[in-house]
Amino acid sequence: MISTVKQSAFTINGCDFIRSKSQSLTFSHRFSLLPPLPAAMKSRRSSGVSFTKPIYVSSVENFGGLKKERSNDNLVKVKAYEADRIDPIEGPDSKTEVARRLKIGVYFATWWFLNVIFNIYNKKVLNAFPFPWLTSTLSLAAGSLIMLMSWTLRIAETPKTDLEFWKTLLPVAVAHTIGHVAATVSMSKVAVSFTHIIKSGEPAFSVLVSRFLLGETFPTAVYLSLIPIIGGCGLSALTELNFNWIGFAGAMISNVAFVFRNIFSKRGMKGKSVSGMNYYACLSMLSLLLLTPFAIAVEGPQMWALGFEKAVSQIGPQIVWWMAAQSVFYHLYNQVSYMSLDEISPLTFSIGNTMKRISVIVSSIIIFRTPVQPINALGAAIAILGTFLYSQAKQ
């Protein structure tokens, strides 16, 4: 709210607000809740605070439990800042906000960096060792091991869970497992940049599933934002030089699976007091249990042994480092992303996810020297722009 007070700082006694029930609170045109300006204050008119600009009241403290007697304990402390200032005049609150924004910035930078590193090592592994089911399993196993060690050594707080928690987590884990494997299969068949361009179409699936299966409605702007998303993804797919149907289908299945993962997560985790880091750790462990038997059935130890022997003969022992790096970085980037959800709104997270995808697409094209036609790059840009517009429209 705005007050046209012409002082830089002031204190209002609670007794000025409270009257006995027999008294009526009346105001005249000249009534003021502020005490007269002391002489000491008049001598400070040359300070950096303006006496002619309106003042915004930013917070009111100690407004409860006031007594009628005047004392220092029942003062109402009001913090204010001038209309043309961004932050309050007093320093502590503004310093806290700066620290919070800096923390969020560190989360975002770390999230993007770890994601880029993961995608680079993941693609290197899949090029030399094309077994996406095992690669996906190793990613979840590494994350589970890291968190178990963290809980054992008390580096991280052990989550308090019960049977009901794991029941609600099960459908989330099923969707997460499908989405994770499908995305890895996609990247084993096509360029990293193409997979992420197709995965930028996830908002379109989110709206369609929410509208036709859950009966949710959205503003017109949200539906309009789907046009560039679908059009951009379609243009990129049609002009992709190394198009592969398995790679394309994997990215699309991953989109659908992650949409359901988000829906199940929102519905099932309401009221649960588990931090973002521990929530993802539990999700990884349950997904690992679900995925391992399918990985053995689809690929199997015999194929893994032959593939690993071939990879070592072509790449050398460093293939082991690549596999370890992609597994660890997969967990770390997801862990940081879930930790950031504790600090920011879903909208900010959505925008950050869009920017992350841009960084992955650009870096993978440069590192792997992926040939890109101008029309293909245009399709990617249109799709990513549509994703950004979608996040703004949902606000």
Side-chain angles (χ1 to χ4, degrees), residues 108 111 266 340-354 390-392 394-395:
F108 269 40
W111 175 23
K266 289 177 182 178
S340 67
L341 274 173
D342 291 337
E343 304 289 337
I344 60 178
S345 66
L347 174 64
T348 306
F349 183 85
S350 178
I351 295 173
N353 196 43
T354 302
Y390 166 82
S391 64
Q392 295 296 306
K394 282 207 72 176
Q395 183 180 13

Side-chain angles (χ1 to χ4, degrees), residues 178-352:
I178 295 173
H180 176 42
V181 173
T184 309
V185 169
S186 175
M187 280 189 273
S188 69
K189 298 296 183 180
V190 296
V192 175
S193 55
F194 180 70
T195 298
H196 280 275
I197 291 171
I198 300 303
K199 282 179 65 63
S200 66
E202 184 178 324
F205 291 94
S206 179
V207 172
L208 293 175
V209 170
S210 299
R211 178 68 184 88
F212 293 105
L213 294 184
L214 304 180
E216 296 182 15
T217 57
F218 300 91
T220 304
V222 171
Y223 295 111
L224 292 177
S225 68
L226 302 183
I227 296 176
I229 293 176
I230 297 173
C233 289
L235 184 61
S236 293
L238 290 173
T239 57
E240 174 65 24
L241 294 176
N242 298 312
F243 181 85
N244 179 281
W245 277 109
I246 296 178
F248 176 76
M252 296 289 280
I253 293 172
S254 177
N255 281 337
V256 177
F258 284 147
V259 166
F260 280 101
R261 180 193 66 178
N262 296 338
I263 293 173
F264 294 146
S265 181
K266 289 177 182 178
R267 286 188 165 189
M269 298 312 297
K270 288 183 179 179
K272 305 294 182 182
S273 57
V274 178
S275 67
M277 180 174 64
N278 284 334
Y279 177 75
Y280 180 71
C282 295
L283 180 62
S284 295
M285 293 175 187
L286 191 52
S287 295
L288 176 62
L289 294 176
L290 295 172
L291 177 58
T292 301
F294 286 96
I296 294 174
V298 173
E299 294 174 347
Q302 186 175 0
M303 293 179 62
W304 296 337
L306 293 175
F308 183 75
E309 183 180 350
K310 182 179 179 181
V312 171
S313 65
Q314 293 178 345
I315 306 298
Q318 63 181 342
I319 186 65
V320 177
W321 157 249
W322 289 359
M323 295 172 73
Q326 75 87 21
S327 300
V328 171
F329 281 114
Y330 173 80
H331 172 77
L332 292 178
Y333 100 76
N334 276 288
Q335 178 177 300
V336 172
S337 70
Y338 273 82
M339 289 170 64
S340 67
L341 274 173
D342 291 337
E343 304 289 337
I344 60 178
S345 66
L347 174 64
T348 306
F349 183 85
S350 178
I351 295 173

Side-chain angles (χ1 to χ4, degrees), residues 20 29 64 169 179 213 309:
S20 63
H29 291 290
L169 189 64
L213 294 184
E309 183 180 350

